[in-house]
Amino acid sequence: MKDFNYHSAKDSKEASKLASSSSAFLAGGMTTIPSMKLGLATYKDLIDIKNIKKLSGIKVSGKSVTIGAATKHVEVSNSKDIKKAIPSLSSLAEGIGDPQVRNRGTIGGSIANNDPSADYPSACIALNATIHTNERKIEAAKFFKGMFETALKKGELIEAIEFQIPEKSSYQKHPNPASRYAIVGVYVAKHKGDVNVAVTGAKSCVYNDKEMSKALSGNFSSSSIDGMDLDSSEMNSDMHASADFRASLVVTQAKKAVDAC
Amino acid sequence: MASLVGSRVERKEDKRFLTGKGRYTADINLANQTYAIFVRSPHARASIKKLNIDKALKSSGVVSILTGKEIADDKIGGLIAGWAIRSEDGTEMKCPGNPPLAKDNVNFVGDPVAVVIAESLAEAKEAAEKVEVDYKVLKAVTSTADAINGDAIHEGIDKNLCFDWLLGDRQKVKEAFDKADKVISIDIINNRLIPNAMEPRACVADYNAASEEITLYTTSQNPHLSRLIMSAFGNVAPEHKLRVVAPDVGGGFGSKINVYNEDIVCSWAAKKINRAIKWVAERSESFLTDIHGRDHVTHAELAVTKDGKFLGFKNETIANLGAYARVFGTVTPTYLFGPCATGVYEIPAAYTNVKAVYTNTAPVDAYRGAGRPEATYTIERLVEKASMELGIDKTELRIKNFPTAFPFKQTLVHTVDSGDYVAGMEKAKQMADYKGFEARRKESEAKGKLRGIGVTSYFEACGIAPSAAVMSLGCGVGLWESAEVRFNPTGQVTVYTGSHSHGQSHQTTFAQIAADELGVPIENIDIVHGDTDKGTFGMGTYGSRSLAVGGIAIVNACKKIVEKGKRVTAKMLEANPEDVEFKDGEFIVSKSNKKKTIGEVAFACYLPGVRDEMKSPLPEGDEPGLKETSFYDPSNFSFPAGTHIAEVEIDPETGHVKLEKYTACDDFGRIINPMVVEGQVHGGLAQGIGQALYENAEYDETGQLMTGSYMDYTMPRADNFPEFNIGYTCTHATTNPLGVKGCGEAGAIAAPPTVMNAVIDALGGQEVTMPATAEKVWKACKNLKKSNAKAA
Ligand SMILES: Cc1cc2nc3c(=O)[nH]c(=O)nc-3n(C[C@H](O)[C@H](O)[C@H](O)COP(=O)(O)OP(=O)(O)OC[C@H]3O[C@@H](n4cnc5c(N)ncnc54)[C@H](O)[C@@H]3O)c2cc1C
C-alpha cells in the first residue's frame, strides 16, 4: 500500500472541504482498504468520516426509517426498531459478507460504492429511498447511475438514507458461493399504490424490473410472474453464472420474495 | 495406571494456539533483517528478452536485486521431482529444468524472475515495481485434456509428455472385457484445487559468516527432507552448514512438502548479502504459486457380469503436472493413484494408464490424499453408475465384490493386511438410516425438491512407506522415520520425532504413546520436532504416515529404553535381567518383588557408581545416560478403509445443492485419541465436500488464474455443512505394534465421490462435473424435467 495522509473530519463541512480528486472518504474501509492494498486504487488523502456524529444513528417514524450513512451493517441487522418496521431490511444487512465485514462496513459506503452485486442498492430502489447528502436530497431512482457510478459529486457526502416503510417486503439473494455478494438479489416491496421489484447482481447496475412490478401490482402473487421469460441480453455473465442463469434466478428469487412477504 | 492411548486427552498445543502464543515463521524477526519481494511473471508462457534492474537498484532502501543469471552463475540447483517414473515403453520420464529464478523462460503466471531485497517491505515492493522485464509472450498451453496437442512448452519434451505410464496388464484386461455381459464406462474430471493453508508460505533466512552456517526458518512439513534437497540438489550449503527450522506451521495439506523457489533463493541470497532476509507470501502469491492438487481427466471402464460381479477395470487418465515436475508431482498420479483405482473390490484384471502432461499452470503436486482421492473418485463413480445400469442396490453391488478374506491381495500392487469391509458397510447403513431414505426422498419431492443418496466404499494406502517398496518404484529416498527418546536425569522425557506437526496434534498423541510405553505422566513428556539441529534425521509428515511410521519409531525407541532399564534394575537389585518385568513405570524383580521406578533407573543411568547410600552401578557393556534412537522402516503400507454415505437435497429452480446428511464410518485401526481423529475427519471431509460442491481452480486460455482470490475461489464455510455423523469399525493393522492405520486423508478421499454420487442420484443419473455448482445443477434439472416430460 502506498503512503497516504489520514484525516479525521469532525463534521460534514470539514470532510467535504478536505475532499479532492485524489481523496476518498473512509467509512468502514471494507472496499477502500483492500483495493488500496491490491494496488487497484491509490489516494493521497483518506478522510475518516466515522467520527461525524450526524452520520450515525437510526430513526424510525410512522412512514420511514432513516439510517445514518456511517451506520454499520451489524447495527442495521440488530436494530429492534428496523426489525419491527422493515424486517426485510435487517435481514438483508444480516446477509452481507461475513461478521468481520458487517462489523465495519457501512450503509453509506455500500451505496456510494454502488457495486453491481451489492445488496443495499436494491433496498434503496424497492423502498423508494431518499438519499440525504450534505448538499441535497436525491431519489434512489436517480441516484444509481451505472456500474460503480452514482449521482454524487466530488466531495458530496451522504449523511443518511431514508427508506419508506412498505406494507410488505422481502429480500431474496442467491449469493456468489465464494464472496457471498449477490449473483442475483431481488427486493420485492409492496407499497400502497404499487409494487417495486428491485434487482441487483443481474446487470451492470441495480434496476427496478418494470415487467414484474406491473404484473405484481395487478396481482400480488408469485403465480403472476411464474414462468416469466426475461430478456438476458443485458445480464452479466461470468464464471459464476451465465446471463441465462441470472435471468432465471431473477424470476425465481422474485417468486421466493413474494411468497415470503 | 490407566492407558492414555484411546482416550480424549486434551491437546497440549491448544494453550499456545488459543492464547496467541504460537510461533509461526512470520513471527520470527532477526536483528538487521531485510525484506524480499519476488518479481513474478505476469504471463503464463514467455521468453525473457531483457531484464533491466538499473532503475530498481536506485530505488530507496534497496540492498540487492538478484536474477536468474546470478543464481545460474553460482550454480545453485533447481527444483526437483522426487520420484523417477518410467513410461510403458521403458523410457525415463522427461523433466525440464526448474531454476529457482527463471533466466530464459517463464512457464506459469507467478514464476519468479528476480528477487528484490530492501531495508523495508514497502521499499522492496516499490523497487520491485521498477524492475523492467521485456517478455516475448508465447502461446500458453493450459488444458489438461489437450496439452498433448499443444506447442511443446519445454525444449526437448515432445507432446508436453513427462511419461506415459502403465500399471497392470492390458492383455488380461482385454480378455476379461471379452467375457463381460456389460461394460460400464465413464468420463470424469477431477477438478484442480488450491490447498489454501491458513498460514501462507514464508521463510526467514540467516547467515552466520563466522560459522558459515545458513539457518532457514520455513513453512515446511518436512524440514530434514528440505535440507537434504536444498543441499544435495540445490547446492545451497553442505548439510552440516544448513539448519532448517519449521516452527509452528499453520496447515500444509501437502502444499508445504516441497522446497520452493523462495526457500532456495532467500538462503542463497542471505549468504550473498551477509544479512538475514524475510519473505512472507501474500495471499494472492499463495494462490498463484503454492502447488495445486488433482487435475485429472479420466476415461474408465468396468466389465461386469449381469448379476454384478466385476471382471475387469480400465483407467485411462491424463494428469496435469503444471509447469514443472515437483517432489511428489510424478508419484501422485502414478503409484499413489493407480494401485488404489481398483478400490475395495476383487477385480481379476485391471490396468491404469497415465499420461502426465506439462502445461503453463502452477505445478501440481500432492494435496491431502494425493492420488487416492482421484483413484477413489474414478472407481466409486463407476461402481455407482454400474449399480444404476444393472439395477442392483448400490450397497449390495459393493458388498458382492468386497474381498472375503484378509490379507487381501489387491489387483495391482498392494496386499491389504486387515479390514472388514462388510462390517463397515453395514454400520454405515445403519448410522445413515439407509433404509429410511425412500421415505425422505418422497418428503423432498412433496416440497418440489430432488433428493439423492450416495455411497462410497474406499480403502487407501497410507503410512508411506516401506523403503524397499518405494525405492523399487522410483522414490529418491527411503520413507522410514526416526525417533529419539531422551530421559533427563530427573525423570522427564523429551521425544524427538522426524515427522512434523502442522495441525496433526503430535504433541499430544505422541506423548500419549510415550506415556503408556514408559509409564511416565504425560505432563513430563515433551515432543520436539521441526528443527534439523534437534533430533535425528526424519522424512516428515504427509501420506498419513506420522503415526503409522513415526509413532512406531517412538514405540521402538521406548522399548529400547525399557530393555536398558531392565538390565540396570537387575544390576542394582542384584537379580537376573530376565526376571525383571516392566509395568506402569516400575521395574519389578518377579522373584523378590523388589522394584525401582523408571525415574530412579533414569537417575541411576546418569550416576553410574556406588557412593555411600547410592548404589547404581551399570551392568557391564552398558554406557551411562538414558537415550535411545530408533529408525523404523515399516514392512507394508497401512490400509484404512470405510464407507461414507451422503444425502443431498436439490432445489431445481436455483440448482442449489444442500448437503443434508453426511455419515462417515471409518476403520483407522487403533485410535490413539478419538477427539484428534474427529478433528482430522472433519477437516478432511470439509476439503472433500469442498472439492465436490465448491472449490475449483480455473485458468483462462491465456493461462491467467481466474480464481486467484477468495472472491472467486470458493472455500467451504461452516454453514455449508451438516453435523457430521461419524463412527468407526476397528480392525487392528497387523503390520505394526500399535495396530494403527492413519486417518489424516480419509475424509478428503471418500467425500468427493460420496457427495457426487448423491447429487447424480438426485439428478436421475445425469453426470455433472465437480464442483456441482448451482448453474450446472440447474441445467441438469432442466434436462431432467424435459426428459421426464417426454417419458410421460
Ligand atoms: C469480504 C467482503 C464481502 C462482502 N460482501 C458483501 C455482500 O455480500 N454484499 C454487499 O452488499 N457488500 C458486501 N461487501 C461490501 C461491504 O458491504 C462494504 O461495507 C461496502 O462495499 C463499503 O462500505 P464501507 O463502509 O466499508 O466503505 P469504504 O470502503 O470506507 O468506502 C467505499 C467508498 O464509498 C465512499 N463513501 C463511504 N462513505 C461515504 C459517504 N457517507 N458519502 C459518500 N461517499 C462515501 C468512499 O469514498 C469510498 O469510495 C463485502 C466486502 C468484503 C470485503
Side-chain angles (χ1 to χ4, degrees):
Chain A
M1 199 193 293
K2 298 268 194 300
D3 287 352
F4 58 87
N5 301 312
Y6 172 84
H7 311 269
S8 178
K10 60 180 180 313
D11 55 32
S12 301
K13 209 163 147 202
E14 189 189 359
S16 179
K17 222 168 111 192
L18 283 164
S20 72
S21 57
S22 57
S23 75
F25 294 128
L26 183 66
M30 291 291 95
T31 296
T32 305
I33 304 283
S35 42
M36 289 171 77
K37 278 171 95 172
L38 287 169
L40 301 173
T42 46
Y43 300 106
K44 234 174 76 208
D45 300 283
L46 281 191
I47 306 152
D48 196 336
I49 56 171
K50 286 191 299 294
N51 296 322
I52 303 176
K53 285 226 173 60
K54 202 174 171 192
L55 300 196
S56 56
I58 293 165
K59 274 190 243 94
V60 178
S61 72
K63 280 196 187 139
S64 67
V65 170
T66 306
I67 303 175
T71 307
K72 294 172 193 163
H73 307 330
V74 67
E75 294 170 308
V76 174
S77 72
N78 287 347
S79 160
K80 285 206 182 81
D81 293 338
I82 296 180
K83 267 188 196 150
K84 223 166 113 195
I86 318 178
S88 58
L89 191 58
S90 59
S91 70
L92 174 147
E94 201 180 344
I96 295 176
D98 49 50
Q100 288 83 351
V101 169
R102 294 195 289 274
N103 276 306
R104 292 208 71 91
T106 68
I107 186 167
S110 175
I111 286 168
N113 196 48
N114 192 18
D115 189 304
S117 40
D119 298 305
Y120 270 130
S122 69
C124 296
I125 296 289
L127 302 172
N128 296 327
T130 307
I131 319 295
H132 296 250
T133 78
N134 58 335
E135 296 177 14
R136 53 186 167 144
K137 291 180 189 175
I138 312 170
E139 279 172 46
K142 292 188 180 143
F143 181 83
F144 301 103
K145 292 279 191 196
M147 185 148 57
F148 296 108
E149 224 189 290
T150 66
L152 288 175
K153 289 182 285 190
K154 199 82 253 164
E156 189 172 2
L157 188 70
I158 304 173
E159 292 186 332
I161 299 101
E162 184 183 353
F163 296 97
Q164 186 185 320
I165 298 175
E167 286 177 358
K168 294 175 182 178
S169 64
S170 168
Y171 178 65
Q172 297 292 329
K173 137 157 131 173
H174 182 92
N176 173 323
S179 72
R180 305 224 169 161
Y181 272 93
I183 280 184
V184 163
V186 180
Y187 207 128
V188 172
K190 185 174 182 319
H191 297 279
K192 238 196 201 102
D194 53 357
V195 175
N196 287 332
V197 182
V199 181
T200 186
K203 296 187 181 175
S204 60
C205 185
V206 65
Y207 66 97
N208 198 353
D209 192 296
K210 293 278 160 359
E211 213 180 324
M212 285 196 283
S213 300
K214 206 173 141 204
L216 290 169
S217 298
N219 173 18
F220 194 71
S221 150
S222 58
S223 63
S224 61
I225 52 172
D226 191 24
M228 213 175 240
D229 202 6
L230 299 183
D231 177 10
S232 67
S233 61
E234 277 176 27
M235 298 233 174
N236 299 330
S237 189
D238 55 36
M239 72 177 138
H240 298 293
S242 68
D244 284 345
F245 184 42
R246 277 192 165 85
S248 153
L249 283 174
V250 171
V251 179
T252 311
Q253 300 304 316
K255 272 173 23 193
K256 282 195 176 167
V258 172
D259 289 341
C261 272
Chain B
M1 211 161 87
S3 165
L4 287 181
V5 165
S7 58
R8 304 175 80 90
V9 174
E10 279 185 13
R11 298 207 321 154
K12 287 181 155 217
E13 38 277 87
D14 277 344
K15 184 170 176 189
R16 174 164 105 251
F17 292 145
L18 297 178
T19 58
K21 294 285 189 276
R23 191 168 182 257
Y24 297 89
T25 301
D27 294 325
I28 293 166
N29 291 299
L30 303 178
N32 205 24
Q33 79 190 4
T34 60
Y35 296 82
I37 287 285
F38 284 79
V39 178
R40 300 182 185 277
S41 170
H43 307 294
R45 182 170 171 234
S47 56
I48 302 171
K49 288 201 292 193
K50 219 171 114 197
L51 197 156
N52 187 344
I53 59 171
D54 295 349
K55 254 195 225 152
L57 274 174
K58 290 190 200 114
S59 192
S60 104
V62 169
V63 177
S64 176
I65 299 178
L66 299 166
T67 70
K69 181 180 178 306
E70 286 78 34
I71 213 160
D73 289 349
D74 282 5
K75 305 208 160 35
I76 297 300
L79 299 147
I80 56 147
W83 291 63
I85 303 295
R86 263 177 212 281
S87 286
E88 187 178 356
D89 66 7
T91 54
E92 299 282 353
M93 66 175 185
K94 297 188 180 68
C95 293
N98 183 188
L101 293 174
K103 185 158 94 35
D104 303 314
N105 300 294
V106 288
N107 285 299
F108 68 101
V109 174
D111 214 353
V113 298
V115 62
V116 175
I117 302 158
E119 298 291 347
S120 72
L121 186 59
E123 286 168 317
K125 270 193 180 177
E126 182 96 27
E129 284 173 16
K130 296 178 186 158
V131 173
E132 296 165 336
V133 193
D134 191 1
Y135 292 102
K136 178 169 186 261
V137 179
L138 302 166
K139 190 168 182 318
V141 173
T142 58
S143 150
T144 308
D146 250 7
I148 290 165
N149 306 317
D151 293 354
I153 61 178
H154 296 296
E155 215 180 287
I157 302 184
D158 203 23
K159 295 181 172 166
N160 294 316
L161 200 57
C162 177
F163 55 75
D164 184 346
W165 171 85
L166 179 77
L167 181 68
D169 189 328
R170 286 185 197 271
Q171 185 52 35
K172 265 199 185 153
V173 170
K174 189 184 172 307
E175 287 161 17
F177 273 69
D178 287 344
K179 284 188 287 191
D181 294 328
K182 201 170 171 58
V183 172
I184 317 294
S185 71
I186 200 167
D187 287 285
I188 49 178
I189 292 173
N190 210 283
N191 47 328
R192 177 187 271 250
L193 304 174
I194 301 178
N196 278 303
M198 197 182 285
E199 178 206 24
R201 290 190 294 114
C203 64
V204 180
D206 191 22
Y207 180 65
N208 181 330
S211 64
E212 297 180 351
E213 195 186 39
I214 295 171
T215 302
L216 175 70
Y217 301 88
T218 183
T219 48
S220 173
Q221 301 178 215
N222 31 251
H224 295 275
L225 195 60
S226 293
R227 183 182 68 170
L228 173 67
I229 293 172
M230 286 177 65
S231 185
F233 299 94
N235 196 27
V236 172
E239 270 191 285
H240 71 302
K241 294 294 181 190
L242 179 60
R243 177 182 173 200
V244 178
V245 185
D248 283 331
V249 173
F253 316 114
S255 72
K256 292 170 180 168
I257 295 172
N258 271 272
V259 169
Y260 280 90
N261 310 57
E262 296 84 0
D263 295 315
I264 295 180
V265 171
C266 290
S267 302
W268 159 73
K271 179 172 174 185
K272 247 181 139 58
I273 66 167
N274 197 11
R275 281 179 71 180
I277 303 175
K278 180 168 187 169
W279 171 77
V280 181
E282 295 192 351
R283 186 54 72 179
S284 37
E285 284 181 296
S286 305
F287 272 100
L288 288 173
T289 67
D290 286 4
I291 61 93
H292 292 182
R294 320 283 189 253
D295 205 342
H296 285 193
V297 174
T298 294
H299 173 81
E301 294 180 14
L302 187 67
V304 294
T305 64
K306 57 180 178 303
D307 57 354
K309 263 304 210 188
F310 302 162
L311 300 176
F313 170 75
K314 282 183 196 173
N315 172 9
E316 301 277 356
T317 290
I318 303 172
N320 193 345
L321 294 177
Y324 306 104
R326 291 275 172 89
V327 171
F328 280 90
T330 54
V331 73
T332 296
T334 52
Y335 289 105
L336 297 181
F337 169 62
C340 291
T342 53
V344 278
Y345 308 109
E346 280 179 328
I347 306 180
Y351 79 78
T352 289
N353 169 230
V354 179
K355 294 179 175 64
V357 295
Y358 293 109
T359 59
N360 296 113
T361 61
V364 178
D365 203 303
Y367 168 57
R368 201 170 193 166
R372 289 147 295 163
E374 297 91 315
T376 307
Y377 191 68
T378 306
I379 185 72
E380 287 304 299
R381 288 284 309 105
L382 199 49
V383 168
E384 193 85 0
K385 197 170 177 197
S387 111
M388 288 180 189
E389 291 192 14
L390 291 166
I392 301 176
D393 171 80
K394 52 188 87 185
T395 63
E396 292 306 315
L397 181 65
R398 285 177 167 90
I399 290 173
K400 200 179 206 106
N401 291 282
F402 280 167
T404 44
F406 288 88
F408 155 46
K409 176 99 190 59
Q410 183 256 5
T411 325
L412 289 171
V413 171
H414 296 299
T415 299
V416 179
D417 63 300
S418 61
D420 185 343
Y421 301 158
V422 178
M425 172 67 86
E426 295 302 344
K427 184 163 178 186
K429 280 171 73 172
Q430 208 168 29
M431 287 167 62
D433 184 24
Y434 184 76
K435 268 202 261 153
F437 172 71
E438 280 309 323
R440 292 192 293 277
R441 191 194 310 253
K442 290 214 173 74
E443 275 171 38
S444 296
E445 272 169 10
K447 290 185 291 176
K449 303 279 167 65
L450 303 170
R451 200 179 184 96
I453 191 164
V455 176
T456 282
S457 295
Y458 76 97
F459 90 111
E460 59 151 323
C462 69
I464 56 172
S467 299
V470 294
M471 289 188 67
S472 76
L473 301 178
C475 186
V477 288
L479 292 177
W480 44 264
E481 194 49 87
S482 76
E484 188 177 304
V485 176
R486 288 188 204 167
F487 251 98
N488 295 325
T490 53
Q492 312 85 21
V493 179
T494 309
V495 177
Y496 296 83
T497 170
S499 61
H500 187 277
S501 185
H502 33 275
Q504 292 85 350
S505 321
H506 295 168
Q507 245 187 301
T508 307
T509 53
F510 285 3
Q512 286 176 254
I513 294 171
D516 275 10
E517 291 292 329
L518 299 172
V520 171
I522 193 165
E523 301 75 38
N524 290 350
I525 300 173
D526 264 350
I527 307 294
V528 176
H529 66 83
D531 185 342
T532 57
D533 263 12
K534 294 180 184 168
T536 38
F537 202 89
M539 301 311 299
T541 289
Y542 37 80
S544 303
R545 69 187 303 275
S546 296
L547 174 60
V549 190
I552 309 306
I554 293 172
V555 170
N556 289 352
C558 288
K559 290 205 189 307
K560 288 185 189 174
I561 296 267
V562 169
E563 281 316 304
K564 181 169 180 179
K566 283 182 179 171
R567 295 194 297 273
V568 173
T569 306
K571 182 77 181 177
M572 289 166 80
L573 298 176
E574 296 169 338
N576 278 326
E578 303 84 69
D579 296 333
V580 180
E581 278 171 17
F582 180 70
K583 197 167 169 260
D584 293 343
E586 287 180 332
F587 294 95
I588 305 158
V589 180
S590 51
K591 287 180 179 151
S592 63
N593 229 5
K594 284 191 199 162
K595 40 176 108 159
K596 290 276 174 200
T597 67
I598 195 163
E600 289 170 319
V601 171
F603 191 67
C605 286
Y606 288 92
L607 290 101
V610 175
R611 198 190 74 202
D612 305 329
E613 293 297 291
M614 189 156 60
K615 293 187 178 58
S616 49
L618 284 188
E620 215 162 294
D622 271 315
E623 294 174 352
L626 191 56
K627 185 202 91 168
E628 296 289 354
T629 303
S630 163
F631 282 71
Y632 172 70
D633 201 348
S635 62
N636 196 354
F637 289 76
S638 63
F639 302 99
T643 291
H644 290 200
I645 299 178
E647 247 175 84
V648 300
E649 191 180 74
I650 292 174
D651 179 346
E653 292 215 310
T654 61
H656 178 70
V657 178
K658 180 152 184 273
L659 183 59
E660 289 283 344
K661 275 159 75 92
Y662 196 100
T663 301
C665 181
D666 297 298
D667 178 359
F668 298 138
R670 183 198 297 260
I671 287 172
I672 305 296
N673 184 329
M675 179 183 70
V676 167
V677 170
E678 275 160 32
Q680 291 290 314
V681 173
H682 281 210
L685 289 178
Q687 283 171 314
I689 295 164
Q691 171 165 28
L693 297 179
Y694 307 108
E695 299 184 46
N696 197 38
E698 207 173 313
Y699 285 93
D700 71 7
E701 70 276 14
T702 69
Q704 293 296 328
L705 183 63
M706 304 295 287
T707 50
S709 84
Y710 293 125
M711 297 306 273
D712 293 309
Y713 187 91
T714 309
M715 286 296 279
R717 304 190 199 177
D719 65 0
N720 293 128
F721 305 117
E723 189 77 31
F724 297 131
N725 186 8
I726 288 173
Y728 311 99
T729 56
C730 180
T731 60
H732 286 192
T734 61
T735 50
N736 67 61
L738 282 176
V740 296
K741 295 184 178 178
C743 69
E745 295 164 296
I749 291 170
T754 312
V755 173
M756 290 308 288
N757 284 342
V759 169
I760 290 164
D761 182 49
L763 294 174
Q766 286 184 87
E767 290 291 326
V768 284
T769 54
M770 296 191 286
T773 57
E775 178 158 10
K776 287 186 208 169
V777 173
W778 169 74
K779 279 190 182 142
C781 291
K782 281 212 302 191
N783 289 338
L784 186 66
K785 210 169 157 187
K786 263 189 226 151
S787 60
N788 284 351
K790 244 188 227 158

